[in-house]
């Protein structure tokens, strides 16, 4: 199977590439903006015609799109998450390959949900910020393209390579600095928020399964279990060997902060960072469709994912 992977050097893309390279039946080509890509191409600014010519030359059976942006203003998010996907869809329509498209969506497309509920694929999306809006627009482009396509709505991915600027990455970094400074207290914000964290290696398995399947439409990728960020921080403290006290600055998730941390414990915190997904205090996936249509279930426990996050944080100088 010849696979073209877009965004192979990103957090998700690197793990998807590793998973595909482990399959001897897969012949992988990586396309991206970085020097380490097999072919350099910017989806946000490149023309559909140029990408069509490349598709016809490589002739992949599957195109996987892990490219995109999670940060920036509305204009940049639209360019990298929506315009780029429009380019991919138009190129595939023009191409003679008939390739299947696996698009990586995100749980931010759903927006806030009722506490205690599990969000299924037929839920009405109500994204709470520009990132979710840009990703939802991309999903709608894919679903309306008449291509052989599936969109995987990935709930918050964690594990090796988790960006240091993500909520769990920031907590791990704040914990590392506290331990390095000998502080016995750590101040964090927004720990009451609950999310369905899924290991990035399980996400890569889901992408691989989706590539081989005939599933179309939207498929949630999560664990089906929301975890309070406070509990995730406690697990991080345990695997890190942090014996100090974690103080919560704003216990109510309604205040909108999540994952902010003081650089040190003396005085007031230097910064409080908002959680960027616009999904409020609760989000949990209904993952029955992934089980039924992809034969996929998550395998890696959150404690292992958090241990990997801590290992990388602890190795930073």
């Amino acid at each position: 199977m010849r696979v073209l992977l877009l965004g192979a050097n990103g957090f998700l893309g690197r793990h998807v590439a590793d998973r595909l390279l482990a399959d001897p039946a897969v012949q992988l080509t990586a396309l991206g903006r970085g020097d380490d890509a097999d072919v350099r191409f910017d989806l946000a600014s490149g023309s559909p015609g140029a990408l069509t010519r490349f598709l016809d030359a490589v002739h992949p059976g599957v195109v996987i799109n892990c490219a995109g942006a999670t940060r920036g203003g509305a204009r940049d998010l639209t360019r990298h998450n929506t315009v780029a996907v429009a380019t991919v869809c138009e190129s595939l329509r023009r191409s003679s390959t008939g390739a299947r498209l696996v698009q990586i969506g995100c749980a931010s497309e759903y927006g806030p949900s009722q506490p205690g509920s599990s969000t299924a694929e037929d839920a009405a999306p109500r994204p709470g910020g520009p990132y979710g809006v840009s990703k939802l627009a991309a999903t709608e482009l894919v679903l309306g393209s008449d291509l052989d396509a599936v969109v995987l709505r990935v709930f918050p991915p964690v594990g090796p390579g988790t960006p240091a600027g993500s909520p769990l990455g920031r907590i791990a970094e704040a914990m590392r600095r506290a331990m390095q400074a000998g502080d016995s207290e750590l101040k964090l914000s927004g720990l009451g928020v609950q999310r369905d964290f899924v290991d990035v290696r399980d996400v890569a398995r889901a992408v691989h399964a989706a590539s081989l399947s005939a599933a179309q439409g939207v498929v949630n990728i999560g664990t089906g279990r929301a975890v309070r960020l406070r509990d995730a921080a406690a697990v991080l403290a345990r695997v890190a060997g942090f014996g100090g006290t974690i103080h919560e600055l704003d216990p109510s998730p309604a205040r909108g902060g999540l994952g902010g941390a003081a650089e040190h414990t003396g005085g007031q915190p230097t910064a409080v960072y908002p959680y960027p997904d616009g999904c409020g205090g609760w989000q949990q996936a209904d993952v029955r469709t992934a089980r039924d249509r992809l034969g996929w279930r998550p395998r890696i426990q959150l404690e292992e994912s958090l241990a990997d996050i801590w290992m990388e944080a602890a190795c930073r100088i």
Side-chain angles (χ1 to χ4, degrees), residues 119-291:
T119 304
E121 290 84 357
D122 59 357
R126 297 184 179 88
Y131 173 62
V133 169
S134 68
K135 293 294 288 185
L136 177 61
T139 291
E140 294 299 333
L141 285 169
V142 172
L143 297 181
S145 66
D146 293 326
L147 297 170
D148 174 13
V150 62
V151 178
L152 303 184
R153 272 195 182 140
V154 177
F155 283 65
V158 295
T162 294
S166 69
L168 286 171
R170 283 196 296 265
I171 292 175
E173 177 62 13
M175 198 169 290
R176 181 192 70 80
R177 293 185 182 187
M179 294 174 70
Q180 190 174 43
D183 292 335
S184 61
E185 295 181 332
L186 185 64
K187 293 179 176 129
L188 303 172
S189 67
L191 298 183
V193 174
Q194 297 178 74
R195 289 293 182 270
D196 188 340
F197 298 109
V198 58
D199 192 274
V200 66
R201 291 159 293 192
D202 280 334
V203 175
R205 288 179 42 248
V207 173
H208 190 197
S211 302
L212 300 172
S213 78
Q216 295 188 333
V218 175
V219 179
N220 287 342
I221 303 299
T223 67
R225 184 174 71 92
V227 174
R228 199 177 302 274
L229 197 63
R230 183 184 304 115
D231 298 331
V235 173
L236 266 173
R238 185 171 70 251
V239 299
F242 176 68
T245 303
I246 296 176
H247 291 291
E248 189 168 357
L249 297 176
D250 53 349
S252 172
R255 293 180 60 178
L258 176 60
E263 292 291 333
H264 53 77
T265 60
Q268 294 300 311
T270 57
V272 175
Y273 302 94
Y275 199 94
D277 66 358
C279 293
W282 169 276
Q283 200 178 53
Q284 177 175 282
D286 182 328
V287 293
R288 289 175 293 180
T289 301
R291 178 196 63 199

Side-chain angles (χ1 to χ4, degrees), residues 6 43 62-67 80-93 99-106 109 133-153 210 215-219 293:
L6 313 177
L43 292 172
V62 178
V63 174
I64 299 171
N65 185 23
C66 294
H80 291 290
N81 294 337
T82 309
V83 174
V85 172
T87 297
V88 173
C89 289
E90 180 60 24
S91 301
L92 284 168
R93 277 195 297 265
R100 173 170 172 76
L101 174 62
V102 179
Q103 165 70 16
I104 306 303
C106 72
E109 298 173 43
V133 169
S134 68
K135 293 294 288 185
L136 177 61
T139 291
E140 294 299 333
L141 285 169
V142 172
L143 297 181
S145 66
D146 293 326
L147 297 170
D148 174 13
V150 62
V151 178
L152 303 184
R153 272 195 182 140
Q216 295 188 333
V218 175
V219 179
R293 297 172 64 187

